[in-house]
Amino acid sequence: MRRLSYAFSKSPEHHRAAVALHYTYFNLCLTVRTLRVTPAMEAGLTGHVWSLEELLDAILSEPPGEKPQREPLEHRQPDAPARALPGGRGFLRLVTAPTPSLRRPTVQPDPPPVAPVTPAQDAPPAGSPQMDLFSWRSKPRAPEQLSLFPDPPPE
């Protein structure tokens, strides 16, 4: 595609044909490891893996088709209130009332609050050999003051 080899197509017609041949080979002849079948077999278009000879026979026996006719692309007409964008570039949908797809989900009420239980209430009686991990509290520490300059020497 980016001319990284000597086998790139120099004309658009040949390039289209080479890309179409590659996609046909991939879909009919190449077994995808994750699927363990070809993409055409997965889609139900064929029941077996095609050999390269079978693919070439089918391609060469097919008569050339008509060249497709170009048709202008048209924007689809909006089914809701809309305003046309300048230059015929499409439409801007006007939202007048919330539609079901854009409606916010209903918020469920919060469950009633539960009174918090402090770990000290659940502590075992004094002198019990069992250790309660939830009643452990860290010792309060004095805040440590960091200084950028050392303390002046005493006089």
Side-chain angles (χ1 to χ4, degrees), residues 5-18:
S5 68
Y6 291 118
F8 65 88
S9 302
K10 293 185 171 103
S11 69
E13 293 82 17
H14 292 164
H15 183 68
R16 280 190 211 104

PDB file of all heavy atoms in Angstrom, residues 5-18:
ATOM      1  N   SER A   5       7.672  -2.186  -1.357  1.00  0.00           N
ATOM      2  CA  SER A   5       8.295  -3.277  -2.106  1.00  0.00           C
ATOM      3  C   SER A   5       8.251  -2.929  -3.593  1.00  0.00           C
ATOM      4  O   SER A   5       7.658  -1.941  -4.005  1.00  0.00           O
ATOM      5  CB  SER A   5       7.560  -4.589  -1.843  1.00  0.00           C
ATOM      6  OG  SER A   5       6.274  -4.523  -2.399  1.00  0.00           O
ATOM      7  N   TYR A   6       8.844  -3.792  -4.412  1.00  0.00           N
ATOM      8  CA  TYR A   6       8.842  -3.559  -5.845  1.00  0.00           C
ATOM      9  C   TYR A   6       7.545  -4.031  -6.502  1.00  0.00           C
ATOM     10  O   TYR A   6       7.341  -3.837  -7.675  1.00  0.00           O
ATOM     11  CB  TYR A   6      10.021  -4.289  -6.500  1.00  0.00           C
ATOM     12  CG  TYR A   6      11.340  -3.683  -6.136  1.00  0.00           C
ATOM     13  CD1 TYR A   6      12.288  -4.416  -5.444  1.00  0.00           C
ATOM     14  CD2 TYR A   6      11.633  -2.381  -6.475  1.00  0.00           C
ATOM     15  CE1 TYR A   6      13.505  -3.863  -5.099  1.00  0.00           C
ATOM     16  CE2 TYR A   6      12.843  -1.817  -6.134  1.00  0.00           C
ATOM     17  CZ  TYR A   6      13.776  -2.559  -5.455  1.00  0.00           C
ATOM     18  OH  TYR A   6      14.973  -2.004  -5.111  1.00  0.00           O
ATOM     19  N   ALA A   7       6.662  -4.672  -5.734  1.00  0.00           N
ATOM     20  CA  ALA A   7       5.461  -5.258  -6.316  1.00  0.00           C
ATOM     21  C   ALA A   7       4.228  -4.377  -6.145  1.00  0.00           C
ATOM     22  O   ALA A   7       3.125  -4.866  -6.159  1.00  0.00           O
ATOM     23  CB  ALA A   7       5.209  -6.625  -5.679  1.00  0.00           C
ATOM     24  N   PHE A   8       4.395  -3.082  -5.957  1.00  0.00           N
ATOM     25  CA  PHE A   8       3.222  -2.238  -5.802  1.00  0.00           C
ATOM     26  C   PHE A   8       2.582  -1.974  -7.166  1.00  0.00           C
ATOM     27  O   PHE A   8       3.219  -2.085  -8.204  1.00  0.00           O
ATOM     28  CB  PHE A   8       3.574  -0.917  -5.111  1.00  0.00           C
ATOM     29  CG  PHE A   8       4.498  -0.032  -5.891  1.00  0.00           C
ATOM     30  CD1 PHE A   8       3.991   0.882  -6.803  1.00  0.00           C
ATOM     31  CD2 PHE A   8       5.864  -0.112  -5.710  1.00  0.00           C
ATOM     32  CE1 PHE A   8       4.836   1.712  -7.502  1.00  0.00           C
ATOM     33  CE2 PHE A   8       6.716   0.703  -6.417  1.00  0.00           C
ATOM     34  CZ  PHE A   8       6.199   1.616  -7.325  1.00  0.00           C
ATOM     35  N   SER A   9       1.299  -1.635  -7.149  1.00  0.00           N
ATOM     36  CA  SER A   9       0.567  -1.368  -8.387  1.00  0.00           C
ATOM     37  C   SER A   9       0.718   0.100  -8.744  1.00  0.00           C
ATOM     38  O   SER A   9       0.507   0.979  -7.924  1.00  0.00           O
ATOM     39  CB  SER A   9      -0.908  -1.705  -8.198  1.00  0.00           C
ATOM     40  OG  SER A   9      -1.051  -3.036  -7.815  1.00  0.00           O
ATOM     41  N   LYS A  10       1.043   0.345  -9.998  1.00  0.00           N
ATOM     42  CA  LYS A  10       1.266   1.725 -10.419  1.00  0.00           C
ATOM     43  C   LYS A  10       0.002   2.383 -10.940  1.00  0.00           C
ATOM     44  O   LYS A  10      -0.074   3.599 -11.009  1.00  0.00           O
ATOM     45  CB  LYS A  10       2.355   1.753 -11.492  1.00  0.00           C
ATOM     46  CG  LYS A  10       3.698   1.347 -10.951  1.00  0.00           C
ATOM     47  CD  LYS A  10       4.779   1.504 -11.979  1.00  0.00           C
ATOM     48  CE  LYS A  10       6.120   1.303 -11.359  1.00  0.00           C
ATOM     49  NZ  LYS A  10       6.739   0.067 -11.611  1.00  0.00           N
ATOM     50  N   SER A  11      -1.002   1.608 -11.322  1.00  0.00           N
ATOM     51  CA  SER A  11      -2.257   2.208 -11.796  1.00  0.00           C
ATOM     52  C   SER A  11      -3.368   1.866 -10.809  1.00  0.00           C
ATOM     53  O   SER A  11      -3.347   0.794 -10.183  1.00  0.00           O
ATOM     54  CB  SER A  11      -2.608   1.687 -13.185  1.00  0.00           C
ATOM     55  OG  SER A  11      -2.963   0.330 -13.121  1.00  0.00           O
ATOM     56  N   PRO A  12      -4.349   2.734 -10.664  1.00  0.00           N
ATOM     57  CA  PRO A  12      -5.432   2.469  -9.712  1.00  0.00           C
ATOM     58  C   PRO A  12      -6.220   1.199 -10.046  1.00  0.00           C
ATOM     59  O   PRO A  12      -6.637   0.473  -9.143  1.00  0.00           O
ATOM     60  CB  PRO A  12      -6.321   3.702  -9.825  1.00  0.00           C
ATOM     61  CG  PRO A  12      -5.477   4.764 -10.415  1.00  0.00           C
ATOM     62  CD  PRO A  12      -4.449   4.059 -11.239  1.00  0.00           C
ATOM     63  N   GLU A  13      -6.410   0.905 -11.331  1.00  0.00           N
ATOM     64  CA  GLU A  13      -7.165  -0.295 -11.716  1.00  0.00           C
ATOM     65  C   GLU A  13      -6.430  -1.563 -11.283  1.00  0.00           C
ATOM     66  O   GLU A  13      -7.035  -2.488 -10.739  1.00  0.00           O
ATOM     67  CB  GLU A  13      -7.412  -0.323 -13.222  1.00  0.00           C
ATOM     68  CG  GLU A  13      -8.334   0.770 -13.724  1.00  0.00           C
ATOM     69  CD  GLU A  13      -7.620   2.102 -13.934  1.00  0.00           C
ATOM     70  OE1 GLU A  13      -6.368   2.115 -14.006  1.00  0.00           O
ATOM     71  OE2 GLU A  13      -8.312   3.134 -13.983  1.00  0.00           O
ATOM     72  N   HIS A  14      -5.123  -1.606 -11.510  1.00  0.00           N
ATOM     73  CA  HIS A  14      -4.344  -2.770 -11.118  1.00  0.00           C
ATOM     74  C   HIS A  14      -4.272  -2.884  -9.590  1.00  0.00           C
ATOM     75  O   HIS A  14      -4.273  -3.992  -9.042  1.00  0.00           O
ATOM     76  CB  HIS A  14      -2.942  -2.702 -11.703  1.00  0.00           C
ATOM     77  CG  HIS A  14      -2.935  -2.853 -13.196  1.00  0.00           C
ATOM     78  ND1 HIS A  14      -1.858  -2.512 -13.960  1.00  0.00           N
ATOM     79  CD2 HIS A  14      -3.877  -3.298 -14.067  1.00  0.00           C
ATOM     80  CE1 HIS A  14      -2.123  -2.746 -15.246  1.00  0.00           C
ATOM     81  NE2 HIS A  14      -3.359  -3.222 -15.310  1.00  0.00           N
ATOM     82  N   HIS A  15      -4.210  -1.737  -8.939  1.00  0.00           N
ATOM     83  CA  HIS A  15      -4.152  -1.758  -7.481  1.00  0.00           C
ATOM     84  C   HIS A  15      -5.466  -2.308  -6.912  1.00  0.00           C
ATOM     85  O   HIS A  15      -5.451  -3.129  -5.998  1.00  0.00           O
ATOM     86  CB  HIS A  15      -3.897  -0.352  -6.953  1.00  0.00           C
ATOM     87  CG  HIS A  15      -3.745  -0.304  -5.465  1.00  0.00           C
ATOM     88  ND1 HIS A  15      -2.679  -0.847  -4.806  1.00  0.00           N
ATOM     89  CD2 HIS A  15      -4.548   0.206  -4.504  1.00  0.00           C
ATOM     90  CE1 HIS A  15      -2.818  -0.672  -3.523  1.00  0.00           C
ATOM     91  NE2 HIS A  15      -3.953  -0.024  -3.298  1.00  0.00           N
ATOM     92  N   ARG A  16      -6.606  -1.860  -7.446  1.00  0.00           N
ATOM     93  CA  ARG A  16      -7.902  -2.375  -7.002  1.00  0.00           C
ATOM     94  C   ARG A  16      -7.986  -3.882  -7.230  1.00  0.00           C
ATOM     95  O   ARG A  16      -8.485  -4.625  -6.382  1.00  0.00           O
ATOM     96  CB  ARG A  16      -9.036  -1.670  -7.736  1.00  0.00           C
ATOM     97  CG  ARG A  16      -9.358  -0.327  -7.161  1.00  0.00           C
ATOM     98  CD  ARG A  16     -10.639   0.224  -7.760  1.00  0.00           C
ATOM     99  NE  ARG A  16     -10.538   1.657  -7.783  1.00  0.00           N
ATOM    100  CZ  ARG A  16     -10.293   2.392  -8.861  1.00  0.00           C
ATOM    101  NH1 ARG A  16     -10.162   1.836 -10.036  1.00  0.00           N
ATOM    102  NH2 ARG A  16     -10.202   3.698  -8.770  1.00  0.00           N
ATOM    103  N   ALA A  17      -7.509  -4.345  -8.371  1.00  0.00           N
ATOM    104  CA  ALA A  17      -7.556  -5.776  -8.666  1.00  0.00           C
ATOM    105  C   ALA A  17      -6.670  -6.564  -7.708  1.00  0.00           C
ATOM    106  O   ALA A  17      -7.057  -7.636  -7.227  1.00  0.00           O
ATOM    107  CB  ALA A  17      -7.128  -6.020 -10.115  1.00  0.00           C
ATOM    108  N   ALA A  18      -5.488  -6.038  -7.391  1.00  0.00           N
ATOM    109  CA  ALA A  18      -4.584  -6.737  -6.479  1.00  0.00           C
ATOM    110  C   ALA A  18      -5.169  -6.797  -5.071  1.00  0.00           C
ATOM    111  O   ALA A  18      -5.088  -7.829  -4.396  1.00  0.00           O
ATOM    112  CB  ALA A  18      -3.220  -6.038  -6.463  1.00  0.00           C
TER     113      ALA A  18
END
